[in-house]
């Protein structure tokens, strides 16, 4: 299995970088997880979207889905046949939200003429050939799902956006690679009680990887501005108990 980082930025982009976008290839399939602003330009350096089996959206925050608007412009302006349409898997209950976005950017059929839209059910695994994707709900400011991806006897877990929660250990369980968000530089940056939290510090991401007995931890969705995020790597390594990597734009990770 291979993970390629197309973008790692949080909602406020790191200079010159795209927001969330991760290509995952394995079991003969190629999937794009999340498609935040800037991701389509990165994708097109490598693949036409026809070479994807699906785009999978973790949640409906702009930094994870807004480049669906841009992706539409790669396709001709007509209703494509079922075979020609790209499969886009949305979070449960979000189709109406996407319809509102379509109307806002030009027309109700902006997406449905080019994409084969569906929602996963929030629990059940879905398959692309011999690759399996299992959604796990996380704790975020809006409904959000992380994913376990299994193919070729290997496991990758992607947290999407999340605060510490019970489901995370399950998500990370025995993963060969945990791709974890680490958006917060400190807890002050998260929502404060009584509001529920929505993100992780690097130290919390390290603890999730440790609890789940993940073999490798790659931090993403973190603010990086001209530094190498050594602070984040050090904090996460202290709780993980092993070396930690920072997701690098354009870098491929063999799993
Ligand atoms: Zn985000
Ligand atoms: Zn979010």
């Amino acid at each position: 299995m291979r993970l390629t980082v197309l973008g790692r930025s949080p909602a406020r982009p790191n200079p010159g970088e795209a927001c969330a976008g991760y290509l995952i290839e394995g079991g003969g399939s190629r999937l794009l997880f999340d498609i935040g602003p800037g991701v389509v330009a990165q994708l097109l350096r490598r693949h036409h979207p026809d070479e994807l089996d699906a785009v999978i959206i973790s949640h409906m925050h702009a930094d994870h889905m807004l480049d669906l608007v841009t992706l539409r412009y790669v396709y001709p302006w007509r209703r494509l046949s079922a075979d020609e349409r790209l499969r886009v898997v949305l979070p449960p209950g979000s189709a109406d939200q996407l319809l509102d976005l379509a109307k806002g950017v030009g027309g109700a059929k902006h997406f449905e003429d080019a994409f084969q839209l569906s929602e996963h059910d929030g629990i059940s695994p879905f398959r692309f050939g011999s690759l399996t994707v299992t959604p796990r709900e996380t704790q975020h400011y809006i409904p959000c799902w992380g994913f376990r991806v299994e193919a070729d006897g290997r496991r990758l877990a992607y947290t999407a956006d999340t605060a510490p929660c019970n489901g995370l250990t399950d998500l990370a369980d025995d993963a060969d690679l945990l791709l974890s968000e680490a958006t917060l530089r400190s807890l002050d940056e998260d929502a404060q009680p009584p509001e529920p939290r929505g993100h992780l510090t690097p130290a919390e991401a390290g603890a999730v990887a440790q609890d789940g007995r993940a073999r490798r931890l790659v931090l993403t969705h973190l603010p990086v501005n001209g530094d190498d995020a050594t602070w984040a790597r050090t904090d996460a390594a202290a709780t993980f108990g092993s070396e930690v990597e920072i997701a690098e734009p354009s870098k491929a990770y063999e799993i």
Side-chain angles (χ1 to χ4, degrees), residues 9 11 13 17-20 35-40 61-67 70:
S9 285
E17 295 183 9
C19 290
I35 184 162
V39 168
V40 170
H61 272 157
D63 55 320
H64 294 256
M65 53 71 75
L66 200 56
D67 242 14
T70 313

Side-chain angles (χ1 to χ4, degrees), residues 102-160:
K103 290 174 184 165
V105 296
K109 299 198 182 276
H110 184 87
F111 298 117
E112 68 172 53
D113 278 353
F115 303 152
Q116 213 183 112
L117 302 170
S118 65
E119 294 180 358
H120 66 75
D121 68 7
I123 299 171
S124 311
F126 44 99
R127 295 176 68 87
F128 299 87
S130 61
L131 181 149
T132 304
V133 179
T134 306
R136 284 276 179 275
E137 189 163 15
T138 67
Q139 180 188 318
H140 193 43
Y141 310 124
I142 62 170
C144 178
W145 281 261
F147 301 96
R148 278 174 72 83
V149 185
E150 299 177 60
D152 311 323
R154 311 293 283 171
R155 293 190 196 95
L156 180 150
Y158 167 46
T159 64

